[in-house]
Structure formats: structure tokens, C-alpha cells
Amino acid sequence: MAFGSLSLFRALLFLSLTASALSTRPYKNGFSPQFYDYVCPQALPTIKRVVEAAVQRERRMGASLLRLHFHDCFVNGCDGSILLDPTPTIDSEKLAFPNNNSARGFEVIDQIKAEVDRVCGRPVVSCADILAITARDSVVALGGPSWKVRLGRRDSTTASRTTANSDIPAPNMDLPALINNFKRQGLKVKDLVALSGAHTIGFAQCRIFRDRIYNDSNINHAFAKNLQSSCPRMGSDGNLASLDPTPAHFDTRYYNNLLSQKGLLHSDQALSTDESTLKLAKSYSYDYDAFWKDFAKSMVRMGNIKPLIGNQGQIRLNCRRVN
Ligand code: HEM
């Protein structure tokens, strides 16, 4: 009897330890950085190689690829929906205002998908995961921080231009609107300030920042004058200006710029309009470590927005089309 209750006690102890180990496991639902380790160990190195080559060809591509992941995640979660081309049944997000004549890098994603499916021998890697890994590898290729990407996202079978128009933040937003926009995605003010630091790389078009350089008052006068020479009041809509002085380097210059009222977008400069966000921007301006750590953390949080996992969605054969 005594022996029986001891075994029962041991069995219960074992069960409770196992249960607690499982419940504290950092990664659940098969959504983890190791997702492809067994099914296709060559997937991640292949993506890295293609991203590095694309960035080598054109440094801006790193910025464009990072932005694609952001525009994917903010529209019904990170599900590859931004990659779907228009058809009679697909309301393509590519045609939404924030993406039309602006989002770029789709051909690089196509190339990655083709190469990954080839090395894996079958289509096991989702387009949504390709976007997430590509964003990370692009930042690294331009000298920025690295982070572990949880994997196992699956691809959507729908897209929504309407949601892209309403949920991707606009460059004319002020701080309360930006904070609210991020909050609706489950992201905090700190995420907003850290992720806006993505504008340490890449470019924007004249039509996007025209209103700021002619009408804003919280802008450095010489900075505005200089931009006006390549961005007239009318025309030259597609002329580019860099979002910070070093658009091919992932550094802290973006935040330095904000402190001297040289943010290119109204939404960038908005971060300096409140004490709490200004304080964070100031700390990132001189502390690489803090920016890198917080940027990486916030990228993980953004990448985890509403993934399709398990048997939801599908693994597309072609990122531009539903199977
Ligand atoms: C906070 C709200 C944000 C707004 C209002 C915003 C808006 C914009 C706009 C209007 C452009 C220029 C597009 C063009 O001229 O064609 C741009 C470029 C860019 N954005 Fe944002 N953005 C925001 C946050 C982010 C975030 C969170 C990321 C990534 C994590 C990001 C990454 C980029 C990059 C890398 C570029 C340059 C792209 C290129 O050169 O191709 N942005 N953004």
C-alpha cells in the first residue's frame, strides 16, 4: 500500500513537472525559429544568400524588403497577403495608396521563393515566413542588428485593399494617430519609436514629403529649402530624398535628425512632439545598443502579429497567387 502510494506520488510529480515544463516552453504551437531545421535546413542560408546578393546589387533593396514585411504585418497580420496580385477575386493590397507606385522588392521575393522551393525539393516555406526572414537579413546586410525570427506562418488566401488603406499608417499622421494606429496592432509607444527607426535606411518620394517641406513649422529651415530644390510645389512627384543622411547604413542618424527637426516625413518629426517619445528618440540617438536591442525586440513583436499557423491558410506555390 505504502509502495503503491509512493509510485502514485512519483507519477503525479512527473506529470506536473512535465506539464509545467511544457507550459513555460518559450515557443508554442510549432511557431518557432527551428521550424524549418528538420524539413529544410538549407532554407534560411538560401534566403540569406539571395538577400545579400540583391542588397549588393542595389543597397536600397534592403530598405524596400524591410518595408514589405511591415506592410504585410499591419494588414490582417503577417500572412503574405501583400504579395498577392490583383485578380477578379483578389482585392490586391498592391493597389492600396501606401503601396501603389511605392512598395517594391516583389521580384526579389519571387526569386527567393523559387530558390528555396528548389533547395527544399518541395514548397515547404511560406511566403509570409520569407518576408519575415528577408526583413531580418536585409537589416543585417545594411549593418544593423540581428534577431531570431519565429517561423511556421502560413499564407493567406485573401487580401484586402480596404484594410491596407485603413491600417497602414500614413505619413501625414500626428503622434496621437500614430500611437493609436500601433495600439490597434497590439504595439506600444516604445515599439512605435523603435520601429520608426527603420527610416534610418531608404528613401521617400517628393509627393510624400511635399506638404511637410512647404507647410510644416517644426522643420529646420535650411533642410526644407534644400529639399525644395529637388521637390518643387508642382511636378517631380517621384523624385527621391533619403529618409536620413545615410540611407544605406543602419545607424542612429535618423534619431539625430529628429533632434534637429530634420525628419523627412511629418510622421517622423511627430515623434519629437511629446516628452515621452522625444526622450526615447534622444536615448536612441546616442546609444546604438539601446536602439539595436529595442528595434530587434519590436521587430519580433511586429512579426508575431496574427500569424496563420497549424492548418490555417496554405503554403503558396507562387507568392503572387493563391494555390
Ligand atoms: C510609423 C509609421 C510609418 C509611416 C507613416 C511610414 C511611412 C513611410 C513612407 C510614406 C515611406 C516612403 C514611401 C515612398 O515615398 O514611396 C516610407 C518608407 C520606408 N519605410 Fe516607413 N513608415 C512608418 C513606419 C515604418 C516601419 C515600422 C518600418 C519597418 C519596420 C518602415 C520601413 C520603411 C522603409 C525601410 C522605407 C524606405 C523604403 C524604400 O526606400 O524603398 N516604416 N515609410
Side-chain angles (χ1 to χ4, degrees):
M1 179 68 186
F3 179 76
S5 55
L6 190 63
S7 333
L8 182 66
F9 173 73
R10 282 194 181 133
L12 286 174
L13 185 68
F14 174 75
L15 277 178
S16 81
L17 286 177
T18 317
S20 80
L22 284 176
S23 68
T24 53
R25 234 179 15 180
Y27 302 112
K28 293 186 192 153
N29 315 324
F31 183 45
S32 87
Q34 292 82 32
F35 191 81
Y36 297 111
D37 284 7
Y38 183 69
V39 280
C40 184
Q42 313 93 307
L44 270 63
T46 302
I47 297 176
K48 195 178 179 63
R49 180 173 52 72
V50 182
V51 169
E52 279 173 357
V55 173
Q56 189 97 42
R57 269 198 309 276
E58 188 207 5
R59 302 279 284 176
R60 184 185 175 194
M61 190 49 75
S64 307
L65 293 170
L66 170 60
R67 187 167 181 240
L68 278 188
H69 179 47
F70 160 51
H71 283 202
D72 183 33
C73 293
F74 266 53
V75 183
N76 290 324
C78 313
D79 59 1
S81 57
I82 192 177
L83 302 173
L84 292 173
D85 280 344
T87 71
T89 53
I90 292 293
D91 185 22
S92 180
E93 293 163 23
K94 293 181 180 181
L95 303 177
F97 290 115
N99 294 329
N100 200 14
N101 289 319
S102 180
R104 56 199 296 280
F106 298 108
E107 299 75 18
V108 177
I109 300 299
D110 291 339
Q111 191 199 343
I112 292 173
K113 174 68 173 165
E115 299 219 8
V116 162
D117 283 359
R118 189 178 52 78
V119 296
C120 297
R122 59 206 166 97
V124 284
V125 182
S126 68
C127 301
D129 275 349
I130 288 177
L131 285 174
I133 301 162
T134 298
R136 190 266 317 273
D137 291 350
S138 294
V139 168
V140 171
L142 294 174
S146 189
W147 58 91
K148 278 204 164 75
V149 179
R150 282 174 80 175
L151 299 166
R153 293 170 193 76
R154 290 166 63 88
D155 298 323
S156 74
T157 51
T158 58
S160 173
R161 178 164 51 140
T162 317
T163 312
N165 278 328
S166 61
D167 290 8
I168 296 173
N172 61 356
M173 281 182 170
D174 57 14
L175 187 61
L178 289 166
I179 291 175
N180 189 40
N181 176 281
F182 271 58
K183 192 172 162 194
R184 285 196 290 127
Q185 300 287 353
L187 298 174
K188 300 186 166 62
V189 174
K190 197 169 178 180
D191 296 308
L192 167 66
V193 180
L195 289 175
S196 295
H199 290 177
T200 177
I201 54 176
F203 295 81
Q205 304 175 59
C206 166
R207 66 180 170 90
I208 300 287
F209 59 82
R210 177 179 285 126
D211 202 43
R212 166 148 174 80
I213 62 173
Y214 288 101
N215 298 326
D216 274 6
S217 52
N218 62 351
I219 188 165
N220 175 289
H221 183 70
F223 175 70
K225 267 263 157 312
N226 186 40
L227 286 164
Q228 287 168 6
S229 64
S230 59
C231 182
R233 283 182 190 275
M234 299 262 278
S236 307
D237 282 9
N239 280 4
L240 294 176
S242 62
L243 285 157
D244 92 341
T246 52
H249 294 279
F250 201 95
D251 54 23
T252 60
R253 295 292 292 276
Y254 168 77
Y255 296 105
N256 289 296
N257 257 19
L258 296 188
L259 303 183
S260 47
Q261 303 209 309
K262 291 179 183 169
L264 184 62
L265 309 183
H266 180 85
S267 52
D268 290 325
Q269 202 58 54
L271 300 181
S272 72
T273 59
D274 177 85
E275 215 28 68
S276 67
T277 47
L278 179 62
K279 202 172 144 205
L280 266 174
K282 270 187 190 156
S283 72
Y284 292 151
S285 74
Y286 58 79
D287 189 348
Y288 256 92
D289 262 7
F291 172 42
W292 281 34
K293 226 188 269 154
D294 287 355
F295 183 80
K297 240 195 252 169
S298 294
M299 282 299 294
V300 171
R301 288 165 57 78
M302 185 179 88
N304 293 348
I305 297 175
K306 281 171 53 184
L308 297 173
I309 48 175
N311 55 9
Q312 300 170 310
Q314 58 180 215
I315 307 292
R316 279 184 221 142
L317 303 173
N318 175 337
C319 291
R320 293 174 182 267
R321 285 196 284 277
V322 172
N323 293 346

